[in-house]
Each structure stands twice: as structure tokens, then as C-alpha cells.
Amino acid sequence: MNQLPVQNPVIRWYSYISPIIFFLVFAVSCKSVHVPDQELSESELLIENSTEELDEIRTIDTAAVKALISQKEKVAESYKPSAKIDFDILHTDLDLSFDYQRQAVLGKAELTIRPFFYPTGELVLDAQDFEFDEIFFIQNGKQESVRYDYDEEKIHIHLPGELTKTDTFQIVLDYTAFPERNAGAGSEAIIDTKGLYFIDPLDTVPDKPRMIWTQGETAHNSKWFPTIDSPNNKFTQLIKLTVSDTLITVGNGELVKQESLGDGMRKDYWEMKLPHSAYLAAFVVGDFGKVEAEWENVPLGYYVEKGYEKGAGKVFKNTPEMIGFFSELLGVRYPWPKYDQIVVRDFVSGAMENTTASIFMEELRLTEREAIDSEWDYIIAHELFHQWFGDYVTTESWANLTLNEGFANYSEFLWNEYKYGRDEAKLKLIVEMENYFAEAETKQVDLIRYDYAEAEDMFDSHSYSKGGVILHMLREYLGAEAFFAGVRHYLERHSFDNVEVNDLRIAFEKVSGEDLNWFFNQWFLDKGHPELQFEVDYSDPKNVQISVTQQQDLATTPLYRLPLDVSWYEGNERISKRFMITKAFQKIDLGNENPVELIFLDEEKNMLAQKYVEMDAGQMRKQFKTSGFGIARYEALDSLAAWEAMTELESIIPEALDDEFWSVRESALTILQGHSDWLEDSPELARKIAHMAENDERNSVRAGALDVLTAFGPDEYYATFLKLASDSSYLVAGSALMGLVSIEPEKIDPAVIEGFAGEGNFRMVIPVADYYLTNSVTGKGAWFMDQAKAISGQGLYYYLGYFSEYFSSFPEEGKADAVDFLLGKMRKDARSYIRLGAFQALLGFSDDEEVLKKTREVAALETDAELTMYYEYFLEVMKDEN
């Protein structure tokens, strides 16, 4: 889910405290010591004789020393080491059943353990919100009851005597776990901390299946079984699940046995014969359908609610190819006996990479038709790559999270590059850069950081996006062959083990033969990023000069050592040179032999840096027409649109519509949608767009073409819209239907629109809703409410605005029920974006003080800090307006 120089930077800084303090203290004390035998200068006499000034200097220096001490003490106190290993859990055996009424887990755990190194007489296990019965110690076949102390988070077990690292023993615990107790907000990536979730446990929500699923990252699995809940402790496991014999279970490892218990109950045995960390232990219980596949005799299962199997077959269809591609690329075969992917309701993250059993959010629950436009490969690749990076080789501490998440993030680029081409991969890379830059505006921290307040704080765009981009830069620097050889060495050397960032650096150094401390120091062990100001001097076309200034704040950010790729075109030939930037200000002679009118700096967009270079619209147009990289042409088109360079844009739009990179075509259509008047004088261009709507190979481009036709003149394209509103792609059909509802009301038969009112996909529901609103169609309250209850995921967020507008416009249609529905979503929905959408929809009833009052009451219960700020701001605005 959810990525070192020679020594830890925090330790290094702390080790320097003594000499620095000594120097400052010595400097202060020197000012107060009179040396009578030494002849003083006039300035020294002035200082010596000015007692008032001397006292002020002493005060300033003393304050500086105190501030420095305070800063260094804070660094030392905030250091979060990897968990100390006092005991090694070798095997975990769990026997579980479930109390749906109390939302409790009834468990028996038998843990096989031995002391790690030092002799000890006390075992401490993580166990959050449990109730325990008697606890037994077993060694050499002898069982005895042992004393324990419990504080609702950890259980301290008093062993019969002091044990050494040669003593292996078992601890047996009977318990009841209550995951609902003391659960709270998690992180940006994982929004809750229950560890185990009962979904509709009392079967009270219509059309919502009962489920149980787990989510253990970071230290939440100790909400349902006692363990050492840190990533640097690995064990094998057996989980036995007692469930109704009508239900399906999925767990880590292999299903080795199913035992009928009678009375409609069954016990399933899931065994993990290879070790993994506690946070990766998982299971799911529910009434699932299963799609079966395989890769080289490794069984694959795609589990989803019954009725969605055909959709799951399409959504996950690339899994076998992905496993084969990653196995070959990494040089390490997929290491586990099977791989299951399970789609559940109300998941608290996008997905989670439990060993052999990844769990996904319900947005991947699609019908066969919806799956035509499925673009979930990125998240499927991400979780699959974790089976190597995170599960097979695991970070030893959350401070090193990017060793898990950075690699998983980079897998999305790697899969796109292999499957869909370099331009699509680079588009993904740009998105990751922008994610990081957006976060860096308010937060800049070391990528590897031991001073986090909570482990959940590590799940941010630094660990994910920045980590992935940095790995790509390292690949570009070393070359792909050396990079993947280093990755293979890293995986083989640390299989089924735990790692820190130095292990990764050393792996690359072993393969490449190059000292890479400089790279890891500036990117992994420091904060920030380069801010580069470029000036290009074309005055001598045969000797272009480039000036580079690193403008980042050097007080808090490194002066970077950066490989800079500069390229240009001579006819159809592309020429590229690499220069190493090592100075705050550096001049580069391009050394071109033939005249050059335009150069490209990082044309392929490989560098994580904010780059500033002055280019005019003419140069950007030339970039579009010259560059052989789709991502550079996309950048040119996007920049010209941002600059509102209409002349240049209009001249290249026809060419952009023919571009081989779909994103360039799509971007051109987006521009045209805002400037549809350009089609008035170009019937040929209008015909071209109509042709694209029916024939482009990319459905998102076809939909974009339909949006342009809607903006240009929907009445002229009635036949096209009517035909494509029944297209197999919902992306295309939704845009076509929006075109239909945009036609003049007297020119469209209402029965045509009503013919689509039974569609359940939000892309079809929204145009129908828009039609009802635009034409003030009453009597549709039940339809609006039914759709709100049926639509899930992001589609619901988009729909809620229409829902709110209808019931605020026609309160007699069921305003009270609509408000209650929205308040319920705002109060209880696990997804923050749905709670946000519900709040925004409730503001549509802001003229009703009673609704505002209830909205404020629910807003006061919100635990997400960003949502709380958003709520407070807009509620204050509403208060002022009312």
C-alpha cells in the first residue's frame, strides 16, 4: 500500500553536538576573560570597557547555545529506531471464530517463540483491546499457567524463568478481541485502525453483503491476534477460520484443509509455509464469486461479489502477464505459492498487499460493460510488485517505508512502459512528480526519516511518489541493465528478511562498482528537491551556452549533484549530451558543431526538479512540432493552453489531433471544447472530430470528441449522439448521452431520454439527472434516491451535486429523506471523499437553518483534519451569509 549514507543522519547530527557546543561555549567564555599580559587593540579595548555591550553579547550567545541544545535534544528525543528484537516469533497458529452481534473475534493463539539474543524472563506482546482467559507456557511437552499484566495495548507475560536464545517455547492464549474499541483515524493512505472490520454484521443494510476483512498495516493486526506487531519480526503461520458453510474464506498461503463442523458451520485452514511480517497477515470472509486463472502453475483467484465475475475477469485479466513480466524483469520468480485478489466493501485504503492475498476497494467491483474502460492496472501492478518489495523483502522499520512503497509506486511506471509504451509511462511519472511537488509546498522531510510522530505519518507523497521517481532517476543514471542487476542482488541477498536503505545502496554499488553515497545522501537522506533556473544563450548558434543556477534554499536543502540531459534535433536526427551539474552556478558549452535554434532540457522528463527556463510561444510550438517524445509534445500543448497562446494553438491543433500519443489527442480535444468556435470556419476539422468520435482506438479520446461536438452544436449531431449513447463503452455512451440532453428540448423526444433512465452506471445516470434538472421534470424523487443508494465509489461523489440540486429545487419530492441520506453519508461513510461530497451537497440546503444546524453537528464529529478545516471554513461562510 499502502519506499543511507554510511550512518544514520540523525545519529550523525547528534554526534556533532559536543564539539559545536564546546566551540560556542568557549567563544562566549573568552569574551569574559581578561588577559593582562596581552596588548589589546583599540577595538578590543572598546569591547572590554563596554560592560553593557558585553552583557548583551553574552546574552545573545547564551541564547544561541540554549537554542542549539534544545534543537539537538529534540532530534535525539524524536528518533524512532527499528523495534528492538527481544523475541523472535517463529510460528503463529490461530483458531478464530466470530461474534457478529458484538463485532468480536473469539480466538485461540499458539505462538512458537524463542529469545533473540539476551536472556530474559518476560515476554511482551502487542494485543490491543483484548480480554484474556488463562495463559499457558509450553516447553518440552510440559504445560503450565503463567502470570501476566495487561494494559489494553500490551500484555506482559511472566515466564517461568530466565530463558536464553537456545530455548524455544510456546505461549497459548485464549482471548476475545474487540476491534471496534478505541479505533481511530489513520493516515492519508489508510483511513482507519481497527485492523479487522465487520461489514454490515447484523445484515441490516439492503443490498449490502456481510463481510469480514482485515487490514494490518502499520501495527493494526494486533487488534485481532496477539503478536509482535513490528515489520522486523517474521514468522510462518496457520489460520483456522470457523464460518458458515455458505461463505467463502481467503487467507494468506494455501487452503490446506476444509473441515465440516455440522450445524451449517465449517473450518478452513490457511497455511503460510514461508515467513512474513505480522502486518501482512490477512483473511477475508464473504459470499464471493471466484474467477480462476494461473501463471506457470501458480493458481490465481479474483474474488468479487457474485454477479460481478465477468467484470473481475476483465479488470484483473493482465495479472498473469504482469507476474511473468515482473518475474523476468527482476530476475526473481514470483516467490509465493498462489496469488489472490479480493474486492471488498468499505475498504479503508485503495488496496493492501497482504502476502498472497491483496485486498482492493470496491471501485474495482465492475460489471462486464463497466470493465471495458477499466484503468485499474496501476493499482493491480502496485500491489503485485509489493509481493517482492514489502512481502518478500520487508522494510525493517516504518522510517524506511519508501523501500516498500517507492518500489511499488515505480512498478506502475514499469508496467505502463512495457504494456502501453514510454509516453504513457512518462505521463504517469509526471503525475507522481506533481503529487510530490504539491505536498512539498507545505511539507519537506527526509525520505528516510526516523523522527516521525506516528508511523502513519510516513504514508505520504514523499514515501510513494518521490520514492518512485528517485528510483527512476537512479535507473537512468546507472542504465537499465545495471539497475535491474542491482535490484536482483538486493532481492536475492535479503529474501525473507528485513532491510534498511543502506542495504539498497550497497546492492547497487556491488553491481555497478560505483560509490553511490552522493546519490543516496541527497535523495534518500535529505529533504527537498532542486529548483533550477536555466538561461540559454543562442547568440552563437554554433556554440550554444547554458547557465544553470540551483535556487533551492541551501540552508535546508542539498546542493545537488545532477546529471542533466540536453538534446536537440538536426533534421530528423536527435542528438543528446549529458552534463553533471555540481555547482550552485554553472555554465555549460553545448559543443554543438552545427547551428542549433532550440535545445531541450530534460526532454524525456526524467529529473525530479522544478525547472524554470524562459521560452516564448513560438519556441514551445517548435517543441511540439520537433520533439520525438509524446510527453514533450504534451507539455508543449499544455503550456500553450495555459499561456492562452491562441495563434500557436490553433495552428497545431489539427496536427495534435493526429498525434500517435492518445494523451496529446485528448488534450487537443479538451482545448477545442473551450474554443469550439474554431470549428465554424473549418468544416473539415468538424468532420475529423466526428470521425474520431466513432473510430478513435482510445475510448477516452472518442468521449472527448463527443464533448467537443456537444459544445460546438449538439443539434447537428443528433444521429451520432443517439447511436453512440448505446456504445459498449460507458465513457463513450455517457458523453453521447450528455450530447443528447444538450439538444434543444423541443427537438428531443423525452421518451428517448427516459429510455436510458434504467441505466445504473454513473456516467449514464448523470446526463439523465441533468436532463431532469434542466427541464424541471418532477416526480423523479424516488429515481434520484434509488440512484444515490445504488451508485458507489467516485461516481457517487460526482452524482451527489445533482442529487442535492434536485431536492433543494423540488423539496416536495422528498427533501427530508434526501437530507437524512446525506447526513448519514457524511457521518458514517469510510471514504473521506464521499463524506466531503455529502457535505458539499448539504450546503445546497443552506437556506434551511435546521439543515445547517445538523450539518454542523455532524461536522463536529469529523476526525480527518483536512476535512475539518474545510468544513469549518465553509460553515463560517454560511454563518456570515445567513
Side-chain angles (χ1 to χ4, degrees):
M1 191 162 14
N2 344 86
Q3 312 169 72
L4 295 159
V6 177
Q7 58 185 10
N8 179 283
V10 177
I11 295 175
R12 183 174 70 249
W13 298 338
Y14 186 68
S15 69
Y16 289 167
I17 291 176
S18 296
I20 292 173
I21 292 176
F22 175 80
F23 174 81
L24 289 175
V25 172
F26 181 75
V28 173
S29 63
C30 283
K31 291 186 171 91
S32 63
V33 175
H34 175 61
V35 186
D37 296 331
Q38 180 178 341
E39 185 175 344
L40 302 179
S41 67
E42 181 179 355
S43 60
E44 287 170 322
L45 285 169
L46 285 172
I47 293 175
E48 183 182 51
N49 294 329
S50 179
T51 305
E52 186 175 335
E53 289 184 22
L54 179 57
D55 287 343
E56 183 179 347
I57 291 170
R58 285 174 178 160
T59 301
I60 292 170
D61 287 342
T62 302
V65 171
K66 287 181 178 179
L68 181 61
I69 291 173
S70 176
Q71 175 190 353
K72 299 297 182 179
E73 287 177 343
K74 184 177 180 181
V75 169
E77 291 167 359
S78 63
Y79 177 68
K80 297 287 193 308
S82 301
K84 184 174 181 291
I85 306 176
D86 293 315
F87 287 89
D88 190 4
I89 296 181
L90 305 177
H91 182 72
T92 295
D93 188 320
L94 302 175
D95 196 336
L96 308 176
S97 59
F98 308 98
D99 184 334
Y100 286 85
Q101 188 72 35
R102 296 191 296 163
Q103 297 186 51
V105 180
L106 311 178
K108 180 176 182 178
E110 181 175 320
L111 310 179
T112 302
I113 305 173
R114 68 177 171 216
F116 187 73
F117 186 83
Y118 296 104
T120 182
E122 183 181 75
L123 168 66
V124 180
L125 298 175
D126 297 296
Q128 305 177 62
D129 303 301
F130 282 45
E131 291 178 1
F132 288 101
D133 294 326
E134 197 169 9
I135 295 177
F136 295 96
F137 171 89
I138 302 174
Q139 189 177 35
N140 299 324
K142 180 184 177 182
Q143 176 176 303
E144 58 183 297
S145 178
V146 291
R147 295 184 301 108
Y148 64 89
D149 299 307
Y150 182 53
D151 63 4
E152 306 301 326
E153 292 186 358
K154 294 181 182 291
I155 183 167
H156 296 252
I157 300 172
H158 304 287
L159 302 174
E162 191 169 76
L163 303 179
T164 71
K165 62 184 179 181
T166 62
D167 291 310
T168 299
F169 61 93
Q170 286 80 39
I171 289 290
V172 179
L173 311 94
D174 287 306
Y175 64 89
T176 304
F178 297 92
E180 288 286 324
R181 292 181 185 172
N182 299 310
S187 65
E188 292 180 31
I190 312 161
I191 62 174
D192 200 274
T193 61
K194 293 177 186 177
L196 183 146
Y197 297 76
F198 289 85
I199 305 304
D200 192 22
L202 302 183
D203 198 18
T204 58
V205 182
D207 301 320
K208 188 169 191 176
R210 291 206 300 176
M211 290 182 182
I212 301 173
W213 47 259
T214 64
Q215 199 302 108
E217 195 173 35
T218 53
H220 311 319
N221 272 343
S222 53
K223 290 282 283 184
W224 58 275
F225 72 97
T227 190
I228 297 175
D229 211 350
S230 61
N232 61 348
N233 202 309
K234 293 195 173 194
F235 49 76
T236 57
Q237 106 195 358
L238 176 66
I239 299 181
K240 293 163 275 191
L241 303 169
T242 297
V243 298
S244 166
D245 60 13
T246 62
L247 299 178
I248 298 294
T249 70
V250 188
N252 306 113
E254 299 169 281
L255 181 62
V256 295
K257 181 180 178 181
Q258 289 188 300
E259 178 183 357
S260 176
L261 303 177
D263 296 325
M265 302 300 289
R266 188 187 72 244
K267 182 178 288 192
D268 290 351
Y269 293 67
W270 287 92
E271 184 175 19
M272 270 289 297
K273 297 176 182 177
L274 299 171
H276 69 163
S277 298
Y279 79 92
L280 296 167
F283 67 85
V284 176
V285 179
D287 186 15
F288 295 106
K290 180 184 180 183
V291 178
E292 295 183 347
E294 72 167 33
W295 172 78
E296 294 190 0
N297 298 319
V298 174
L300 311 177
Y302 318 144
Y303 292 85
V304 69
E305 291 170 42
K306 289 180 177 176
Y308 291 89
E309 291 92 339
K310 289 184 178 180
K314 286 184 176 292
V315 170
F316 295 106
K317 68 179 180 181
N318 289 329
T319 302
E321 187 178 358
M322 278 186 191
I323 295 178
F325 167 63
F326 288 148
S327 292
E328 183 177 354
L329 183 70
L330 299 173
V332 176
R333 179 182 167 86
Y334 177 77
W336 310 104
K338 60 95 169 164
Y339 187 52
D340 290 323
Q341 297 172 102
I342 312 103
V343 180
V344 302
R345 291 288 190 102
D346 298 346
F347 198 52
V348 293
S349 182
M352 177 62 204
E353 68 274 11
N354 314 295
T355 316
T356 78
S358 290
I359 301 177
F360 293 85
M361 60 185 174
E362 68 189 76
E363 277 78 358
L364 278 74
R365 183 199 63 174
L366 303 176
T367 65
E368 185 177 17
R369 185 180 174 191
E370 288 171 332
I372 289 172
D373 297 313
S374 172
E375 294 184 349
W376 294 113
D377 266 13
Y378 77 93
I379 197 170
I380 294 168
H382 183 109
E383 305 311 322
L384 175 59
F385 216 56
H386 268 309
Q387 300 298 315
W388 286 270
F389 298 93
D391 298 9
Y392 184 62
V393 176
T394 311
T395 177
E396 71 173 17
S397 72
W398 300 117
N400 289 271
L401 178 66
T402 198
L403 298 181
N404 292 0
E405 296 299 347
F407 270 106
N409 184 280
Y410 190 39
S411 75
E412 301 170 31
F413 173 92
L414 295 171
W415 172 252
N416 275 316
E417 182 181 46
Y418 159 78
K419 186 69 174 175
Y420 304 112
R422 64 182 181 182
D423 287 328
E424 187 147 349
K426 286 297 172 64
L427 191 62
K428 172 66 179 168
L429 198 70
I430 294 296
V431 169
E432 297 303 332
M433 290 186 190
E434 293 303 324
N435 285 344
Y436 161 71
F437 287 139
E439 182 173 271
E441 291 182 7
T442 57
K443 173 183 181 180
Q444 290 193 14
V445 290
D446 296 352
L447 191 54
I448 304 295
R449 51 192 187 271
Y450 291 86
D451 59 349
Y452 56 83
E454 300 290 341
E456 313 302 328
D457 298 342
M458 294 297 301
F459 291 80
D460 58 14
S461 290
H462 282 67
S463 295
Y464 285 72
S465 299
K466 185 178 184 181
V469 176
I470 287 170
L471 289 171
H472 179 70
M473 287 196 296
L474 185 58
R475 170 189 161 182
E476 290 298 307
Y477 176 75
L478 293 175
E481 185 177 358
F483 176 84
F484 287 111
V487 168
R488 178 177 181 177
H489 180 82
Y490 170 77
L491 289 171
E492 292 178 338
R493 171 68 179 81
H494 302 288
S495 60
F496 304 108
D497 205 352
N498 298 91
V499 289
E500 58 159 323
V501 73
N502 276 319
D503 296 313
L504 183 63
R505 173 181 58 81
I506 291 168
F508 285 122
E509 290 180 343
K510 287 286 186 184
V511 166
S512 69
E514 179 176 351
D515 184 335
L516 293 170
N517 272 292
W518 65 272
F519 185 92
F520 279 74
N521 284 351
Q522 68 186 23
W523 288 116
F524 284 92
L525 295 164
D526 217 328
K527 60 179 64 65
H529 52 269
E531 297 177 20
L532 306 177
Q533 178 70 51
F534 293 97
E535 293 184 11
V536 184
D537 183 358
Y538 292 102
S539 59
D540 181 356
K542 292 188 176 182
N543 185 26
V544 174
Q545 290 189 325
I546 306 163
S547 298
V548 187
T549 306
Q550 297 197 40
Q551 295 186 321
Q552 66 272 13
D553 184 356
L554 298 182
T556 58
T557 309
L559 179 70
Y560 286 87
R561 176 184 172 92
L562 292 169
L564 172 66
D565 290 324
V566 183
S567 54
W568 65 96
Y569 290 81
E570 295 182 2
N572 293 324
E573 182 185 3
R574 180 178 184 269
I575 301 171
S576 178
K577 286 187 177 182
R578 175 170 290 182
F579 302 91
M580 188 63 73
I581 306 301
T582 59
K583 296 179 174 61
F585 175 78
Q586 190 166 337
K587 273 199 165 185
I588 297 171
D589 288 328
L590 191 59
N592 52 298
E593 297 178 357
N594 298 312
V596 172
E597 295 180 355
L598 181 66
I599 64 164
F600 300 99
L601 303 164
D602 187 32
E603 182 183 9
E604 296 184 65
K605 313 306 171 194
N606 291 318
M607 183 189 295
L608 182 65
Q610 289 181 311
K611 302 182 287 289
Y612 308 97
V613 57
E614 186 173 333
M615 290 181 69
D616 60 33
Q619 289 174 312
M620 196 59 82
R621 178 181 181 276
K622 186 175 179 62
Q623 173 174 317
F624 177 87
K625 295 182 74 66
T626 304
S627 179
F629 294 94
I631 194 63
R633 298 193 299 276
Y634 175 88
E635 178 193 44
L637 198 60
D638 186 62
S639 297
L640 289 171
W643 299 345
E644 298 183 351
M646 296 300 114
T647 301
E648 289 78 10
L649 271 177
E650 194 169 1
S651 71
I652 62 174
I653 282 293
E655 189 176 342
L657 292 173
D658 283 327
D659 199 277
E660 63 180 2
F661 185 25
W662 65 265
S663 192
V664 172
R665 301 197 302 277
E666 193 173 287
S667 181
L669 289 166
T670 300
I671 292 166
L672 271 176
Q673 189 178 352
H675 300 280
S676 58
D677 55 302
W678 292 354
L679 275 65
E680 294 176 1
D681 299 325
S682 180
E684 182 179 344
L685 189 60
R687 285 193 296 273
K688 180 179 185 59
I689 292 169
H691 179 79
M692 292 175 71
E694 297 207 39
N695 298 288
D696 197 277
E697 63 184 17
R698 179 90 180 186
N699 287 336
S700 61
V701 173
R702 295 177 63 203
L706 287 165
D707 294 339
V708 173
L709 297 179
T710 299
F712 175 54
D715 293 6
E716 298 180 32
Y717 298 97
Y718 175 88
T720 299
F721 292 149
L722 184 61
K723 174 185 174 182
L724 295 182
S726 297
D727 195 88
S728 59
S729 163
Y730 275 125
L731 269 175
V732 174
S735 287
L737 185 55
M738 189 60 82
L740 275 180
V741 304
S742 300
I743 291 173
E744 290 294 327
E746 62 274 13
K747 296 181 181 179
I748 183 76
D749 184 351
V752 171
I753 306 302
E754 287 295 338
F756 294 99
E759 293 278 4
N761 185 272
F762 80 95
R763 298 185 188 279
M764 306 297 283
V765 170
I766 286 176
V768 174
D770 185 72
Y771 176 82
Y772 291 154
L773 284 164
T774 302
N775 294 280
S776 300
V777 179
T778 58
K780 298 298 180 181
W783 181 88
F784 271 89
M785 183 61 74
D786 289 343
Q787 299 299 335
K789 292 177 179 178
I791 297 174
S792 63
Q794 296 177 356
L796 178 59
Y797 173 84
Y798 298 126
Y799 173 72
L800 288 178
Y802 296 88
F803 177 84
S804 170
E805 185 177 350
Y806 187 81
F807 287 106
S808 61
S809 300
F810 308 107
E812 69 279 5
E813 294 283 347
K815 172 185 170 182
D817 289 341
V819 168
D820 286 345
F821 173 83
L822 293 171
L823 289 169
K825 286 292 179 184
M826 184 180 166
R827 182 187 301 110
K828 296 180 180 179
D829 202 283
R831 298 155 296 183
S832 60
Y833 67 89
I834 294 296
R835 300 200 300 278
L836 172 62
F839 172 77
Q840 293 168 332
L842 283 163
L843 294 184
F845 302 94
S846 60
D847 57 343
D848 187 327
E849 187 55 44
E850 185 62 26
V851 174
L852 269 180
K853 178 184 175 183
K854 291 179 179 179
T855 303
R856 290 190 188 98
E857 290 171 353
V858 176
L861 303 175
E862 180 59 58
T863 57
D864 184 297
E866 290 188 8
L867 278 187
T868 297
M869 290 176 60
Y870 186 92
Y871 292 169
E872 289 175 350
Y873 174 81
F874 280 97
L875 287 172
E876 190 63 30
V877 170
M878 293 295 104
K879 183 179 178 181
D880 292 342
E881 289 182 355
N882 292 344

